[in-house]
Amino acid sequence: MAGIAVVGTGYVGLTSGACFAHLGHEVVCVDNDASKIGILQRGLVPIVESGLGELVRSGLSLNRLIFTTDLDVGLSTADIVFLCLPTPDLQNGNVDMSFMDAVSRKIGALLRPGAIVVNKSTVPVGTTRHVAHLLGREDVSVVSNPEFLREGNAVADFLHPSRVVVGGDDASAVERVAKLYDGTNAPVIMCDATSAETIKYAANAFLATKISFINSIANICEHLGADVRVVADAIGRDPRIGGQFLQPGPGFGGSCFPKDTIGLVRLAEDAGYDFGVLKSVIEANDQQLARTVAKVRNAVGGSLHGAVVGAWGLTFKANTDDRRHSPAVEVVRRLVAEGARVTAFDPTVSDVVPELSSVAVATSAIEACRGARALVVLTEWGEFATVAPTLVREVMAGATVVDARNLLDPDGWRAAGFAYQGVGF
Ligand SMILES: NC(=O)c1ccc[n+]([C@@H]2O[C@H](COP(=O)([O-])OP(=O)(O)OC[C@H]3O[C@@H](n4cnc5c(N)ncnc54)[C@H](O)[C@@H]3O)[C@@H](O)[C@H]2O)c1
């Protein structure tokens, strides 16, 4: 079993660290956020992620999982060091590499002889070599091991991945990293670093393309009188297409797709290629957000100015507390910008959120609807589907619901007196 250090204990780093400990490795998780490390040392988990708390607590009790803010401590026993650092996008579309660069510069002097550094962050093609250069260590190999987990299903995805990708020039380092995943029984694709880095961008860009595609089909269905739910089900049964990521909605979001699609367009540009398809995917996504806002505007009579609107959901999808680049937040932000008075409810939000400071936060789904002329469903939390429309009707001033996730039962809501509008039917 290997000694592993994970630098950056966020959604990816914490999941990786806890799962590697579960697979029997000795793991030290390092983060420069002292409050996050304090929470983890107490056996608590600062994010919403199913099954993660149990793994953290069992790792701690077996002494296989340590949390620290001290890089020295983390790296002193590690044969293999994972970088799970943020790589957000900059205003100009480039990837912000400042976190990767700072840590790579710092750890060069701290790594044990013969250690392996693994990039798990999603990084521009060429970063493996770039990190090797910043480390300045002849005896240290750098390997790319992109992560494909989905928030909300992170532990299961990590322990049962569809595939593991490990890329690098040093075949023995690649094999040692691949071996860490022995307990997962996943097929391992070993390749060069450039291909590994490209695989991650290509995967996210393809998934984003599927979403923009089905959103476009949904919009066409609305004009033709077809039902996108039937269409998506039928095309998704074709194994060449596949049924996942064919649910229309308010647009894609989250911490990965928006930045990775823009990042790949920029990478292509740098390589002299105009990635027109992906540019259209990004544009279609923005139009989908605008279309959702327009449906709410129409639902309140054509102007949002002064309109009271209830919003269900703020996270970028269900079963996570992550609101980074959330389409729900973006739709609410646009509603507010047009003068709407929005009250939102999300199961993971108990207080006013900094990015929507003028939006009131309700303590229940029903309370979010009190006095509202329209309700908009923005995140597919299962509990919203169980709320009785008759109870919602009693507290609302109006009777329109814009279901941007096709989550509710249209017949039940119509029977309760609502004008129901879903996506694509
Ligand atoms: N979130 C996902 O679903 C997901 C999936 C696959 C890949 N990725 C990629 O993985 C990377 C990490 O994403 P994330 O969602 O886990 O990010 P995150 O923001 O949740 O976690 C990053 C962590 O790094 C820490 N950090 C920042 N600077 C540090 C430093 N100098 N020293 C130590 N720790 C430091 C932060 O405090 C934070 O805890 C990104 O490149 C992302 O694109 C994310």
Side-chain angles (χ1 to χ4, degrees), residues 36-92:
K36 189 178 276 191
I37 290 298
I39 292 168
L40 288 161
Q41 285 169 336
R42 294 199 299 280
L44 304 171
V45 170
I47 55 174
V48 173
E49 195 57 69
S50 172
L52 194 52
E54 288 82 342
L55 290 194
V56 166
R57 284 184 283 281
S58 86
L60 283 170
S61 69
L62 293 166
N63 277 330
R64 286 213 291 257
L65 192 54
I66 292 171
F67 296 101
T68 178
T69 54
D70 190 339
L71 262 178
D72 280 315
V73 171
L75 270 52
S76 62
T77 54
D79 309 304
I80 302 183
V81 178
F82 282 84
L83 303 182
C84 302
L85 294 158
T87 51
D89 51 337
L90 294 166
Q91 291 287 348
N92 64 4

Side-chain angles (χ1 to χ4, degrees), residues 14-359:
L14 179 57
T15 304
S16 305
C19 288
F20 278 134
H22 175 74
L23 293 172
H25 302 287
E26 309 260 326
V27 182
V28 180
C29 286
V30 187
D31 204 285
N32 63 355
D33 181 337
S35 75
K36 189 178 276 191
I37 290 298
I39 292 168
L40 288 161
Q41 285 169 336
R42 294 199 299 280
L44 304 171
V45 170
I47 55 174
V48 173
E49 195 57 69
S50 172
L52 194 52
E54 288 82 342
L55 290 194
V56 166
R57 284 184 283 281
S58 86
L60 283 170
S61 69
L62 293 166
N63 277 330
R64 286 213 291 257
L65 192 54
I66 292 171
F67 296 101
T68 178
T69 54
D70 190 339
L71 262 178
D72 280 315
V73 171
L75 270 52
S76 62
T77 54
D79 309 304
I80 302 183
V81 178
F82 282 84
L83 303 182
C84 302
L85 294 158
T87 51
D89 51 337
L90 294 166
Q91 291 287 348
N92 64 4
N94 284 339
V95 178
D96 178 357
M97 290 295 288
S98 59
F99 300 91
M100 293 290 293
D101 287 1
V103 169
S104 302
R105 283 200 181 91
K106 212 183 273 181
I107 64 175
L110 303 175
L111 291 163
R112 293 179 66 179
I116 300 171
V117 172
V118 187
N119 280 342
K120 208 175 233 323
S121 296
T122 304
V123 286
V125 173
T127 298
T128 308
R129 283 201 193 108
H130 174 65
V131 168
H133 172 72
L134 293 180
L135 294 174
R137 289 275 300 263
E138 289 293 321
D139 62 322
V140 170
S141 293
V142 184
V143 161
S144 167
N145 171 219
E147 181 52 56
F148 302 101
L149 65 78
R150 294 162 296 173
E151 286 178 23
N153 212 44
V155 170
D157 283 348
F158 193 95
L159 293 175
H160 310 286
S162 51
R163 78 296 202 197
V164 170
V165 173
V166 190
D169 298 337
D170 176 349
S172 110
V174 167
E175 268 170 38
R176 278 177 68 198
V177 173
K179 217 166 162 33
L180 297 177
Y181 292 91
D182 270 358
T184 70
N185 294 323
V188 181
I189 295 155
M190 291 188 247
C191 57
D192 62 281
T194 307
S195 298
E197 290 164 343
T198 306
I199 287 166
K200 176 63 192 175
Y201 276 104
N204 276 1
F206 189 78
L207 294 172
T209 301
K210 272 187 106 172
I211 294 173
S212 275
F213 182 83
I214 201 63
N215 282 340
S216 302
I217 294 291
N219 300 340
I220 296 167
C221 284
E222 285 178 9
H223 287 289
L224 297 179
D227 186 336
V228 75
R229 297 167 301 176
V230 183
V231 174
D233 177 52
I235 66 171
R237 285 170 193 261
D238 182 335
R240 294 171 301 176
I241 296 173
Q244 292 191 41
F245 283 75
L246 285 184
Q247 289 73 40
F252 60 74
S255 68
C256 294
F257 289 0
K259 80 172 169 65
D260 293 346
T261 45
I262 291 170
L264 185 52
V265 165
R266 180 50 59 93
L267 273 172
E269 264 167 27
D270 291 347
Y273 181 72
D274 180 16
F275 202 158
V277 171
L278 196 53
K279 284 181 180 170
S280 302
V281 166
I282 296 167
E283 198 187 315
N285 199 53
D286 194 58
Q287 286 168 5
Q288 196 66 12
L289 291 163
R291 201 175 165 91
T292 307
V293 173
K295 283 182 178 172
V296 183
R297 192 188 303 117
N298 291 340
V300 297
S303 168
L304 284 158
H305 195 76
V308 178
V309 175
W312 283 359
L314 288 174
T315 53
F316 84 97
K317 64 175 180 178
N319 306 319
T320 176
D321 59 344
D322 199 345
R323 298 191 306 270
R324 290 178 290 181
H325 292 283
S326 167
V329 168
E330 181 57 20
V331 167
V332 171
R333 196 191 63 72
R334 292 184 191 196
L335 294 174
V336 170
E338 289 193 36
R341 285 161 44 212
V342 181
T343 300
F345 172 72
D346 186 284
T348 67
V349 176
S350 55
D351 213 342
V352 171
V353 295
E355 63 271 36
L356 295 171
S357 53
S358 66
V359 170

Side-chain angles (χ1 to χ4, degrees), residues 372-420:
R373 281 168 64 194
L375 165 66
V376 57
V377 182
L378 293 167
T379 310
E380 72 281 24
W381 286 101
E383 66 181 73
F384 296 157
T386 66
V387 178
T390 45
L391 296 181
V392 178
R393 183 79 186 83
E394 278 170 23
V395 299
M396 275 180 68
T400 6
V401 57
V402 175
D403 182 0
R405 294 285 187 173
N406 289 350
L407 179 74
L408 309 178
D409 166 29
D411 294 340
W413 281 72
R414 285 182 182 131
F418 279 93
Y420 171 95

